[in-house]
PDB file of all heavy atoms in Angstrom:
ATOM      1  N   ASN B 150      19.122   8.798 -31.495  1.00  0.00           N
ATOM      2  CA  ASN B 150      20.575   8.752 -31.365  1.00  0.00           C
ATOM      3  C   ASN B 150      21.055   9.630 -30.228  1.00  0.00           C
ATOM      4  O   ASN B 150      21.954   9.273 -29.479  1.00  0.00           O
ATOM      5  CB  ASN B 150      21.234   9.196 -32.675  1.00  0.00           C
ATOM      6  CG  ASN B 150      21.124   8.116 -33.735  1.00  0.00           C
ATOM      7  OD1 ASN B 150      20.897   6.959 -33.404  1.00  0.00           O
ATOM      8  ND2 ASN B 150      21.271   8.501 -34.993  1.00  0.00           N
ATOM      9  N   ALA B 151      20.459  10.782 -30.135  1.00  0.00           N
ATOM     10  CA  ALA B 151      20.873  11.708 -29.081  1.00  0.00           C
ATOM     11  C   ALA B 151      20.620  11.099 -27.708  1.00  0.00           C
ATOM     12  O   ALA B 151      21.452  11.199 -26.807  1.00  0.00           O
ATOM     13  CB  ALA B 151      20.140  13.028 -29.216  1.00  0.00           C
ATOM     14  N   LEU B 152      19.489  10.426 -27.573  1.00  0.00           N
ATOM     15  CA  LEU B 152      19.144   9.853 -26.266  1.00  0.00           C
ATOM     16  C   LEU B 152      20.024   8.667 -25.884  1.00  0.00           C
ATOM     17  O   LEU B 152      20.172   8.361 -24.715  1.00  0.00           O
ATOM     18  CB  LEU B 152      17.674   9.412 -26.260  1.00  0.00           C
ATOM     19  CG  LEU B 152      16.645  10.518 -26.068  1.00  0.00           C
ATOM     20  CD1 LEU B 152      15.243   9.943 -26.177  1.00  0.00           C
ATOM     21  CD2 LEU B 152      16.818  11.192 -24.710  1.00  0.00           C
ATOM     22  N   SER B 153      20.582   8.005 -26.867  1.00  0.00           N
ATOM     23  CA  SER B 153      21.358   6.809 -26.556  1.00  0.00           C
ATOM     24  C   SER B 153      22.533   7.120 -25.639  1.00  0.00           C
ATOM     25  O   SER B 153      22.925   6.293 -24.815  1.00  0.00           O
ATOM     26  CB  SER B 153      21.842   6.138 -27.845  1.00  0.00           C
ATOM     27  OG  SER B 153      22.731   7.000 -28.518  1.00  0.00           O
ATOM     28  N   ALA B 154      23.101   8.286 -25.772  1.00  0.00           N
ATOM     29  CA  ALA B 154      24.215   8.658 -24.903  1.00  0.00           C
ATOM     30  C   ALA B 154      23.742   9.036 -23.502  1.00  0.00           C
ATOM     31  O   ALA B 154      24.550   9.194 -22.588  1.00  0.00           O
ATOM     32  CB  ALA B 154      24.981   9.827 -25.520  1.00  0.00           C
ATOM     33  N   TYR B 155      22.420   9.179 -23.354  1.00  0.00           N
ATOM     34  CA  TYR B 155      21.853   9.604 -22.071  1.00  0.00           C
ATOM     35  C   TYR B 155      21.135   8.453 -21.354  1.00  0.00           C
ATOM     36  O   TYR B 155      20.349   8.669 -20.452  1.00  0.00           O
ATOM     37  CB  TYR B 155      20.880  10.762 -22.284  1.00  0.00           C
ATOM     38  CG  TYR B 155      21.549  12.049 -22.704  1.00  0.00           C
ATOM     39  CD1 TYR B 155      21.889  12.271 -24.027  1.00  0.00           C
ATOM     40  CD2 TYR B 155      21.853  13.043 -21.773  1.00  0.00           C
ATOM     41  CE1 TYR B 155      22.508  13.440 -24.429  1.00  0.00           C
ATOM     42  CE2 TYR B 155      22.470  14.220 -22.153  1.00  0.00           C
ATOM     43  CZ  TYR B 155      22.801  14.415 -23.485  1.00  0.00           C
ATOM     44  OH  TYR B 155      23.419  15.582 -23.864  1.00  0.00           O
ATOM     45  N   GLY B 156      21.386   7.246 -21.800  1.00  0.00           N
ATOM     46  CA  GLY B 156      20.771   6.109 -21.129  1.00  0.00           C
ATOM     47  C   GLY B 156      19.851   5.301 -22.031  1.00  0.00           C
ATOM     48  O   GLY B 156      19.506   4.165 -21.723  1.00  0.00           O
ATOM     49  N   ARG B 199      29.574   3.475 -10.084  1.00  0.00           N
ATOM     50  CA  ARG B 199      29.623   4.933 -10.196  1.00  0.00           C
ATOM     51  C   ARG B 199      29.338   5.514  -8.812  1.00  0.00           C
ATOM     52  O   ARG B 199      29.068   4.779  -7.864  1.00  0.00           O
ATOM     53  CB  ARG B 199      28.553   5.464 -11.160  1.00  0.00           C
ATOM     54  CG  ARG B 199      28.550   4.840 -12.540  1.00  0.00           C
ATOM     55  CD  ARG B 199      29.695   5.384 -13.390  1.00  0.00           C
ATOM     56  NE  ARG B 199      29.468   5.118 -14.796  1.00  0.00           N
ATOM     57  CZ  ARG B 199      29.691   3.960 -15.408  1.00  0.00           C
ATOM     58  NH1 ARG B 199      30.109   2.909 -14.712  1.00  0.00           N
ATOM     59  NH2 ARG B 199      29.477   3.841 -16.707  1.00  0.00           N
ATOM     60  N   LYS B 222      19.987  -3.138 -15.871  1.00  0.00           N
ATOM     61  CA  LYS B 222      20.426  -1.748 -15.736  1.00  0.00           C
ATOM     62  C   LYS B 222      19.988  -1.171 -14.392  1.00  0.00           C
ATOM     63  O   LYS B 222      18.789  -1.047 -14.117  1.00  0.00           O
ATOM     64  CB  LYS B 222      19.776  -0.940 -16.864  1.00  0.00           C
ATOM     65  CG  LYS B 222      20.398   0.400 -17.089  1.00  0.00           C
ATOM     66  CD  LYS B 222      21.546   0.327 -18.053  1.00  0.00           C
ATOM     67  CE  LYS B 222      21.924   1.722 -18.541  1.00  0.00           C
ATOM     68  NZ  LYS B 222      23.135   1.667 -19.367  1.00  0.00           N
ATOM     69  N   THR B 249      20.897   6.671 -14.097  1.00  0.00           N
ATOM     70  CA  THR B 249      21.328   5.364 -14.597  1.00  0.00           C
ATOM     71  C   THR B 249      22.738   5.502 -15.165  1.00  0.00           C
ATOM     72  O   THR B 249      23.096   6.553 -15.724  1.00  0.00           O
ATOM     73  CB  THR B 249      20.339   4.840 -15.661  1.00  0.00           C
ATOM     74  OG1 THR B 249      20.639   3.485 -15.961  1.00  0.00           O
ATOM     75  CG2 THR B 249      20.396   5.661 -16.934  1.00  0.00           C
ATOM     76  N   PRO B 250      23.576   4.488 -15.009  1.00  0.00           N
ATOM     77  CA  PRO B 250      24.955   4.611 -15.495  1.00  0.00           C
ATOM     78  C   PRO B 250      25.030   4.582 -17.029  1.00  0.00           C
ATOM     79  O   PRO B 250      24.278   3.843 -17.668  1.00  0.00           O
ATOM     80  CB  PRO B 250      25.648   3.383 -14.897  1.00  0.00           C
ATOM     81  CG  PRO B 250      24.552   2.406 -14.650  1.00  0.00           C
ATOM     82  CD  PRO B 250      23.337   3.211 -14.328  1.00  0.00           C
ATOM     83  N   VAL B 251      25.913   5.376 -17.577  1.00  0.00           N
ATOM     84  CA  VAL B 251      26.141   5.398 -19.032  1.00  0.00           C
ATOM     85  C   VAL B 251      27.643   5.381 -19.303  1.00  0.00           C
ATOM     86  O   VAL B 251      28.450   5.566 -18.376  1.00  0.00           O
ATOM     87  CB  VAL B 251      25.497   6.651 -19.676  1.00  0.00           C
ATOM     88  CG1 VAL B 251      23.981   6.574 -19.622  1.00  0.00           C
ATOM     89  CG2 VAL B 251      25.992   7.925 -19.016  1.00  0.00           C
ATOM     90  N   ILE B 252      27.994   5.196 -20.566  1.00  0.00           N
ATOM     91  CA  ILE B 252      29.417   5.138 -20.914  1.00  0.00           C
ATOM     92  C   ILE B 252      30.058   6.523 -20.874  1.00  0.00           C
ATOM     93  O   ILE B 252      31.159   6.699 -20.370  1.00  0.00           O
ATOM     94  CB  ILE B 252      29.580   4.505 -22.319  1.00  0.00           C
ATOM     95  CG1 ILE B 252      29.077   3.055 -22.268  1.00  0.00           C
ATOM     96  CG2 ILE B 252      31.031   4.561 -22.779  1.00  0.00           C
ATOM     97  CD1 ILE B 252      28.996   2.391 -23.622  1.00  0.00           C
ATOM     98  N   GLU B 253      29.326   7.492 -21.412  1.00  0.00           N
ATOM     99  CA  GLU B 253      29.859   8.857 -21.448  1.00  0.00           C
ATOM    100  C   GLU B 253      30.118   9.373 -20.039  1.00  0.00           C
ATOM    101  O   GLU B 253      29.364   9.074 -19.105  1.00  0.00           O
ATOM    102  CB  GLU B 253      28.847   9.786 -22.134  1.00  0.00           C
ATOM    103  CG  GLU B 253      28.493   9.402 -23.556  1.00  0.00           C
ATOM    104  CD  GLU B 253      29.533   9.874 -24.548  1.00  0.00           C
ATOM    105  OE1 GLU B 253      30.393  10.696 -24.168  1.00  0.00           O
ATOM    106  OE2 GLU B 253      29.484   9.424 -25.705  1.00  0.00           O
ATOM    107  N   GLN B 254      31.153  10.159 -19.885  1.00  0.00           N
ATOM    108  CA  GLN B 254      31.444  10.757 -18.585  1.00  0.00           C
ATOM    109  C   GLN B 254      30.659  12.040 -18.361  1.00  0.00           C
ATOM    110  O   GLN B 254      30.273  12.362 -17.236  1.00  0.00           O
ATOM    111  CB  GLN B 254      32.942  11.046 -18.460  1.00  0.00           C
ATOM    112  CG  GLN B 254      33.757   9.836 -18.044  1.00  0.00           C
ATOM    113  CD  GLN B 254      33.300   9.247 -16.705  1.00  0.00           C
ATOM    114  OE1 GLN B 254      33.336   9.908 -15.681  1.00  0.00           O
ATOM    115  NE2 GLN B 254      32.846   7.991 -16.735  1.00  0.00           N
ATOM    116  N   SER B 255      30.418  12.760 -19.449  1.00  0.00           N
ATOM    117  CA  SER B 255      29.745  14.043 -19.304  1.00  0.00           C
ATOM    118  C   SER B 255      29.014  14.410 -20.592  1.00  0.00           C
ATOM    119  O   SER B 255      29.540  14.209 -21.691  1.00  0.00           O
ATOM    120  CB  SER B 255      30.783  15.119 -18.965  1.00  0.00           C
ATOM    121  OG  SER B 255      30.167  16.374 -18.870  1.00  0.00           O
ATOM    122  N   LYS B 256      27.803  14.871 -20.465  1.00  0.00           N
ATOM    123  CA  LYS B 256      27.035  15.358 -21.622  1.00  0.00           C
ATOM    124  C   LYS B 256      26.201  16.544 -21.155  1.00  0.00           C
ATOM    125  O   LYS B 256      25.696  16.552 -20.025  1.00  0.00           O
ATOM    126  CB  LYS B 256      26.099  14.264 -22.151  1.00  0.00           C
ATOM    127  CG  LYS B 256      26.802  13.054 -22.747  1.00  0.00           C
ATOM    128  CD  LYS B 256      27.397  13.340 -24.123  1.00  0.00           C
ATOM    129  CE  LYS B 256      26.329  13.431 -25.180  1.00  0.00           C
ATOM    130  NZ  LYS B 256      26.923  13.671 -26.522  1.00  0.00           N
ATOM    131  N   PRO B 257      26.034  17.536 -21.999  1.00  0.00           N
ATOM    132  CA  PRO B 257      25.250  18.712 -21.608  1.00  0.00           C
ATOM    133  C   PRO B 257      23.759  18.387 -21.504  1.00  0.00           C
ATOM    134  O   PRO B 257      23.299  17.401 -22.087  1.00  0.00           O
ATOM    135  CB  PRO B 257      25.517  19.694 -22.745  1.00  0.00           C
ATOM    136  CG  PRO B 257      25.821  18.829 -23.911  1.00  0.00           C
ATOM    137  CD  PRO B 257      26.547  17.634 -23.370  1.00  0.00           C
ATOM    138  N   TRP B 271      20.868  15.054 -18.433  1.00  0.00           N
ATOM    139  CA  TRP B 271      22.271  15.379 -18.572  1.00  0.00           C
ATOM    140  C   TRP B 271      23.112  14.222 -18.028  1.00  0.00           C
ATOM    141  O   TRP B 271      22.586  13.340 -17.341  1.00  0.00           O
ATOM    142  CB  TRP B 271      22.603  16.682 -17.840  1.00  0.00           C
ATOM    143  CG  TRP B 271      22.547  16.597 -16.350  1.00  0.00           C
ATOM    144  CD1 TRP B 271      23.585  16.451 -15.491  1.00  0.00           C
ATOM    145  CD2 TRP B 271      21.370  16.669 -15.523  1.00  0.00           C
ATOM    146  NE1 TRP B 271      23.136  16.414 -14.182  1.00  0.00           N
ATOM    147  CE2 TRP B 271      21.790  16.553 -14.175  1.00  0.00           C
ATOM    148  CE3 TRP B 271      20.014  16.815 -15.788  1.00  0.00           C
ATOM    149  CZ2 TRP B 271      20.897  16.571 -13.104  1.00  0.00           C
ATOM    150  CZ3 TRP B 271      19.119  16.841 -14.717  1.00  0.00           C
ATOM    151  CH2 TRP B 271      19.559  16.719 -13.402  1.00  0.00           C
ATOM    152  N   VAL B 272      24.396  14.251 -18.350  1.00  0.00           N
ATOM    153  CA  VAL B 272      25.299  13.195 -17.876  1.00  0.00           C
ATOM    154  C   VAL B 272      26.421  13.830 -17.066  1.00  0.00           C
ATOM    155  O   VAL B 272      27.020  14.820 -17.496  1.00  0.00           O
ATOM    156  CB  VAL B 272      25.889  12.383 -19.046  1.00  0.00           C
ATOM    157  CG1 VAL B 272      26.933  11.381 -18.538  1.00  0.00           C
ATOM    158  CG2 VAL B 272      24.795  11.660 -19.806  1.00  0.00           C
ATOM    159  N   SER B 273      26.675  13.270 -15.921  1.00  0.00           N
ATOM    160  CA  SER B 273      27.738  13.776 -15.064  1.00  0.00           C
ATOM    161  C   SER B 273      28.424  12.585 -14.396  1.00  0.00           C
ATOM    162  O   SER B 273      27.756  11.720 -13.814  1.00  0.00           O
ATOM    163  CB  SER B 273      27.133  14.713 -14.006  1.00  0.00           C
ATOM    164  OG  SER B 273      28.126  15.111 -13.089  1.00  0.00           O
ATOM    165  N   ASP B 274      29.729  12.512 -14.515  1.00  0.00           N
ATOM    166  CA  ASP B 274      30.518  11.430 -13.890  1.00  0.00           C
ATOM    167  C   ASP B 274      29.989  10.045 -14.247  1.00  0.00           C
ATOM    168  O   ASP B 274      29.889   9.160 -13.384  1.00  0.00           O
ATOM    169  CB  ASP B 274      30.547  11.601 -12.370  1.00  0.00           C
ATOM    170  CG  ASP B 274      31.272  12.873 -11.955  1.00  0.00           C
ATOM    171  OD1 ASP B 274      32.199  13.275 -12.687  1.00  0.00           O
ATOM    172  OD2 ASP B 274      30.893  13.464 -10.928  1.00  0.00           O
ATOM    173  N   GLY B 275      29.641   9.870 -15.498  1.00  0.00           N
ATOM    174  CA  GLY B 275      29.215   8.552 -15.960  1.00  0.00           C
ATOM    175  C   GLY B 275      27.807   8.168 -15.566  1.00  0.00           C
ATOM    176  O   GLY B 275      27.413   7.005 -15.691  1.00  0.00           O
ATOM    177  N   ILE B 276      27.046   9.097 -15.075  1.00  0.00           N
ATOM    178  CA  ILE B 276      25.648   8.825 -14.711  1.00  0.00           C
ATOM    179  C   ILE B 276      24.730   9.781 -15.456  1.00  0.00           C
ATOM    180  O   ILE B 276      24.971  10.994 -15.478  1.00  0.00           O
ATOM    181  CB  ILE B 276      25.420   8.979 -13.190  1.00  0.00           C
ATOM    182  CG1 ILE B 276      26.251   7.959 -12.423  1.00  0.00           C
ATOM    183  CG2 ILE B 276      23.946   8.822 -12.841  1.00  0.00           C
ATOM    184  CD1 ILE B 276      26.165   8.104 -10.913  1.00  0.00           C
ATOM    185  N   SER B 277      23.720   9.216 -16.092  1.00  0.00           N
ATOM    186  CA  SER B 277      22.714  10.043 -16.748  1.00  0.00           C
ATOM    187  C   SER B 277      21.624  10.372 -15.738  1.00  0.00           C
ATOM    188  O   SER B 277      21.069   9.479 -15.092  1.00  0.00           O
ATOM    189  CB  SER B 277      22.108   9.284 -17.937  1.00  0.00           C
ATOM    190  OG  SER B 277      21.003  10.007 -18.444  1.00  0.00           O
ATOM    191  N   TYR B 278      21.324  11.647 -15.598  1.00  0.00           N
ATOM    192  CA  TYR B 278      20.266  12.096 -14.699  1.00  0.00           C
ATOM    193  C   TYR B 278      19.119  12.675 -15.527  1.00  0.00           C
ATOM    194  O   TYR B 278      19.367  13.532 -16.386  1.00  0.00           O
ATOM    195  CB  TYR B 278      20.778  13.178 -13.741  1.00  0.00           C
ATOM    196  CG  TYR B 278      21.839  12.689 -12.784  1.00  0.00           C
ATOM    197  CD1 TYR B 278      23.198  12.824 -13.093  1.00  0.00           C
ATOM    198  CD2 TYR B 278      21.500  12.103 -11.571  1.00  0.00           C
ATOM    199  CE1 TYR B 278      24.177  12.384 -12.220  1.00  0.00           C
ATOM    200  CE2 TYR B 278      22.477  11.653 -10.691  1.00  0.00           C
ATOM    201  CZ  TYR B 278      23.816  11.799 -11.018  1.00  0.00           C
ATOM    202  OH  TYR B 278      24.788  11.359 -10.156  1.00  0.00           O
TER     203      TYR B 278
END
Side-chain angles (χ1 to χ4, degrees):
Chain B
N150 286 341
L152 281 176
S153 64
Y155 291 82
R199 307 284 197 280
K222 196 88 165 174
T249 190
V251 292
I252 296 172
E253 301 279 347
Q254 278 302 299
S255 178
K256 294 285 286 182
W271 70 100
V272 174
S273 174
D274 295 329
I276 297 176
S277 171
Y278 295 94

